[in-house]
Amino acid sequence: MRRWPVDHRRRGRRRLSSWIWFLLASFSLAGLVLFIVQHHHHQQDPSHLLLERDTSIEKVSPPRLNITEEVTSASSFSRQLAEQMTLAKAYVFIAKEHNNLHLAWELSSKIRSCQFLLSKAAMRGQPISLDEAKPIITGLSALIFKAQDAHYDIATTMMTMKSHIQALEERANAATVQTTIFGQLVAEALPKSLHCVMIKLTSDWLTEPSRHELADENRNSPRLVDNNLYHFCIFSDNLIATSVVVNSTVSNADHPKQLVFHIVTNRVSYKAMQAWFLSNDFKGSAIEIRSIEEFSWLNASYSPVVKQLLDSDARAYYFGEQTSQDTISEPKVRNPKYLSLLNHLRFYIPEIYPQLEKIVFLDDDVVVQKDLTPLFSLDLHGNVNGAVETCLEAFHRYYKYLNFSNPLISSKFDPQACGWAFGMNVFDLIAWRKANVTARYHYWQEQNRERTLWKLGTLPPGLLSFYGLTEPLDRRWHVLGLGYDVNIDNRLIETAAVIHYNGNMKPWLKLAIGRYKPFWLKFLNSSHPYLQDCVTA
């Protein structure tokens, strides 16, 4: 009984949107209609409009032509050419639809002549003269009248333009989606040189059993559970990126031997990671490498996200075919990286390291530029998560990440609450266990089985799970955007403790932003023979 008014309103909205579209199309074509009417008045002499213009225009010639002002000037030949070219393009579409290919070809040829003359004027910096404009405008006018005589009326013109505007919008949307997808594919793909390094290191691990014994010794080191030391965790399958994070952290530490790095990777990268970190010196810091496959407790019966990542519908959502509407509205969510369990390990840190009390989480696309040990003495005021807030702009507030039309969200959270960043976070694991944050995370993952609360990534469930438990840090601790924003102030970068290459333009890729890449390369062990051999190859 209650559904009828909703459907009725929807139909009303559809009718209204149709009328709005029709009016917009009508107004956008009003200029074309006026142009046609003007040409009918002067049909006997297509060059009449030219003769009305006084040659005094040519006497007022600025030193350098501003082509934008010239095209919009009511007394310029450039504007007349642009207007006729627009009308001619409409008739090209109409002629093609009526299979009048010869007329379409003639119009296209004249359009190219217009474009060439406009380009020539812009290049030389001088207005178009009467002698240059007259033959083109006369010829194009004659063709437009020819099209009109073929009974292409105003209604046909409007409908044709409307359909082609819609087609152009669809093509533009599709191009945007493709750009996003290609950018993500490039960002996720490891360069061949880094694959080469991984293969060489894996071979080393398999052929040198002595390294296995050394790895076992490191795994049993008492430093790994010593809460008097400074503990960092990194979850990644990217060996070179992880190496830069570790190297930059120890290089800027006042006491690197007091640092402990806990690295978790996957089965494919595990051997190469072990070989690399065992064969390189990181100033005496302790480094533990583990594989995510070791965590037998992290299974579908315990973790909702594991269950969802194994679900066939979820995999079809990320890998299968999408509707055109979904593709246009949500190109970014179709990213297979969200199927990686490594991406979700950050919510299980207290269970992975049950004996630790405080830890700093680092993403693999950051570079450390200052000593991070003072983070461990910060007062989090009983909160679990110390993070830099990102709501200097409105789009980093909660309502941009979460679906506030769902009462489960709107009844519990402030849409204007400030977002914060993953990538460099201080976690008080004692407070985490007390607040049972992992259970909160499980609850929200269960509620989002149908992806109705949020669409992508780990930040939205993080915003929910750590709501009311996050302590804002000074912005200089963590500066973001080096993977997409080309306009970050150099002074902000130089004073930052951690810079974050979040975005698709990762520093190890060719599409990296050039002026930010040296900050990352500074901590890449480029003297390593494997890196030199593989890059040269």
Side-chain angles (χ1 to χ4, degrees):
M1 295 294 292
R2 297 176 61 188
R3 295 175 61 186
W4 161 249
V6 175
D7 292 341
H8 182 68
R9 286 196 297 271
R10 286 177 180 168
R11 285 198 297 273
R13 283 197 296 270
R14 283 197 293 268
R15 292 195 195 101
L16 180 59
S17 65
S18 298
W19 276 106
I20 289 172
W21 166 250
F22 181 79
L23 288 172
L24 286 173
S26 300
F27 282 118
S28 65
L29 292 170
L32 301 183
V33 175
L34 179 60
F35 200 84
I36 294 171
V37 171
Q38 288 174 338
H39 276 275
H40 275 300
H41 283 309
H42 305 292
Q43 189 166 359
Q44 299 304 316
D45 183 5
S47 64
H48 181 79
L49 292 175
L50 285 168
L51 301 178
E52 287 181 352
R53 284 168 164 71
D54 195 284
T55 54
S56 60
I57 319 168
E58 298 178 23
K59 298 175 185 177
V60 188
S61 178
R64 287 295 297 174
L65 178 70
N66 183 322
I67 192 63
T68 303
E69 292 179 0
E70 181 73 6
V71 170
T72 56
S73 171
S75 59
S76 74
F77 295 122
S78 296
R79 175 168 176 170
Q80 188 170 351
L81 280 167
E83 288 175 347
Q84 282 207 319
M85 191 164 60
T86 301
L87 184 58
K89 286 179 179 179
Y91 280 118
V92 168
F93 292 140
I94 296 169
K96 285 182 178 178
E97 288 195 349
H98 288 75
N99 207 29
N100 193 341
L101 302 182
H102 181 71
L103 178 57
W105 180 85
E106 288 183 303
L107 287 165
S108 297
S109 178
K110 286 295 182 183
I111 288 168
R112 286 193 293 273
S113 299
C114 283
Q115 291 170 333
F116 176 76
L117 185 54
L118 289 168
S119 299
K120 183 179 175 181
M123 291 293 291
R124 73 189 181 197
Q126 294 295 327
I128 295 171
S129 67
L130 173 63
D131 291 339
E132 291 174 311
K134 183 175 180 179
I136 296 177
I137 293 180
T138 302
L140 196 50
S141 296
L143 284 174
I144 290 171
F145 294 136
K146 182 178 178 181
Q148 291 171 355
D149 288 340
H151 308 294
Y152 300 145
D153 57 20
I154 302 302
T156 303
T157 303
M158 289 174 65
M159 294 305 296
T160 302
M161 288 298 290
K162 175 183 174 181
S163 65
H164 282 286
I165 288 170
Q166 289 174 326
L168 286 171
E169 286 179 346
E170 290 176 4
R171 287 170 61 187
N173 285 330
T176 301
V177 171
Q178 282 188 325
T179 301
T180 303
I181 292 171
F182 292 156
Q184 289 171 348
L185 288 173
V186 171
E188 289 300 305
L190 204 63
K192 288 182 179 180
S193 59
L194 301 188
H195 274 297
C196 167
V197 173
M198 295 278 287
I199 291 169
K200 286 178 177 288
L201 289 167
T202 301
S203 176
D204 285 351
W205 174 260
L206 295 173
T207 56
E208 298 180 21
S210 59
R211 297 193 182 214
H212 300 201
E213 296 174 5
L214 184 56
D216 290 339
E217 288 179 18
N218 289 345
R219 288 284 296 269
N220 295 318
S221 171
R223 298 171 67 187
L224 301 181
V225 294
D226 186 349
N227 283 298
N228 294 314
L229 301 178
Y230 304 105
H231 295 265
F232 300 85
C233 61
I234 308 164
F235 307 135
S236 172
D237 60 355
N238 187 324
L239 183 146
I240 297 299
T242 304
S243 176
V244 168
V245 176
V246 174
N247 196 29
S248 63
T249 306
V250 300
S251 296
N252 289 288
D254 293 337
H255 305 286
K257 290 184 180 180
Q258 296 181 11
L259 307 187
V260 182
F261 294 91
H262 304 268
I263 299 169
V264 180
T265 188
N266 57 23
R267 184 186 293 111
V268 174
S269 303
Y270 175 78
K271 299 177 181 65
M273 285 271 195
Q274 284 282 20
W276 177 269
F277 284 99
L278 288 172
S279 62
N280 285 275
D281 176 39
F282 292 93
K283 296 188 176 182
S285 59
I287 299 177
E288 173 196 30
I289 311 291
R290 299 177 72 180
S291 172
I292 193 172
E293 284 77 18
E294 296 177 30
F295 308 140
S296 57
W297 50 267
L298 191 58
N299 51 51
S301 62
Y302 170 66
S303 169
V305 73
V306 175
K307 184 178 179 180
Q308 290 165 21
L309 294 180
L310 294 173
D311 181 68
S312 58
D313 290 339
R315 301 189 76 83
Y317 178 74
Y318 288 105
F319 290 110
E321 295 183 1
Q322 307 113 28
T323 65
S324 59
Q325 184 177 358
D326 284 343
T327 305
I328 290 170
S329 63
E330 304 174 291
K332 193 177 177 183
V333 305
R334 312 292 183 175
N335 193 330
K337 80 175 184 179
Y338 301 119
L339 282 173
S340 171
L341 192 53
L342 284 172
N343 207 38
H344 296 266
L345 274 191
R346 64 195 71 190
F347 294 103
Y348 296 98
I349 292 174
E351 292 162 282
I352 299 171
Y353 310 109
Q355 293 174 285
L356 297 184
E357 297 175 355
K358 187 171 280 190
I359 200 166
V360 169
F361 167 77
L362 296 173
D363 262 335
D364 66 358
D365 55 353
V366 306
V367 170
V368 177
Q369 302 187 127
K370 309 285 183 184
D371 183 15
L372 295 188
T373 56
L375 285 169
F376 291 83
S377 58
L378 290 179
D379 185 0
L380 298 183
H381 302 97
N383 287 312
V384 175
N385 172 30
V388 169
E389 292 184 326
T390 56
C391 58
L392 295 177
E393 294 92 10
F395 58 83
H396 284 138
R397 295 188 182 274
Y398 269 49
Y399 73 91
K400 284 296 183 180
Y401 297 101
L402 302 165
N403 178 16
F404 274 86
S405 66
N406 189 304
L408 193 61
I409 297 293
S410 58
S411 64
K412 296 179 183 292
F413 302 97
D414 177 7
Q416 294 296 329
C418 192
W420 45 266
F422 269 132
M424 195 291 298
N425 304 78
V426 191
F427 291 125
D428 184 332
L429 301 183
I430 296 174
W432 183 315
R433 296 179 186 104
K434 185 177 179 180
N436 208 357
V437 174
T438 302
R440 287 189 180 196
Y441 168 68
H442 283 175
Y443 170 78
W444 288 113
Q445 284 288 357
E446 286 281 10
Q447 299 303 313
N448 195 45
R449 285 191 304 271
E450 304 300 322
R451 296 177 293 276
T452 56
L453 304 185
W454 71 87
K455 292 296 182 186
L456 77 160
T458 53
L459 182 56
L463 296 176
L464 299 176
S465 303
F466 292 101
Y467 186 71
L469 300 172
T470 297
E471 180 72 14
L473 303 181
D474 188 296
R475 188 186 179 197
R476 288 170 295 182
W477 278 113
H478 186 192
V479 170
L480 297 103
L482 279 75
Y484 68 89
D485 186 353
V486 297
N487 296 314
I488 303 174
D489 192 322
N490 276 340
R491 292 169 296 180
L492 187 60
I493 295 174
E494 290 165 2
T495 59
V498 173
I499 53 176
H500 195 167
Y501 292 81
N502 57 311
N504 284 338
M505 299 179 185
K506 302 299 184 188
W508 53 85
L509 300 175
K510 288 184 178 179
L511 51 74
I513 298 172
R515 74 183 185 96
Y516 303 146
K517 197 163 184 175
F519 298 111
W520 187 84
L521 290 173
K522 179 181 178 182
F523 298 103
L524 178 65
N525 185 6
S526 55
S527 63
H528 193 284
Y530 287 175
L531 271 177
Q532 290 184 338
D533 291 347
C534 289
V535 170
T536 303

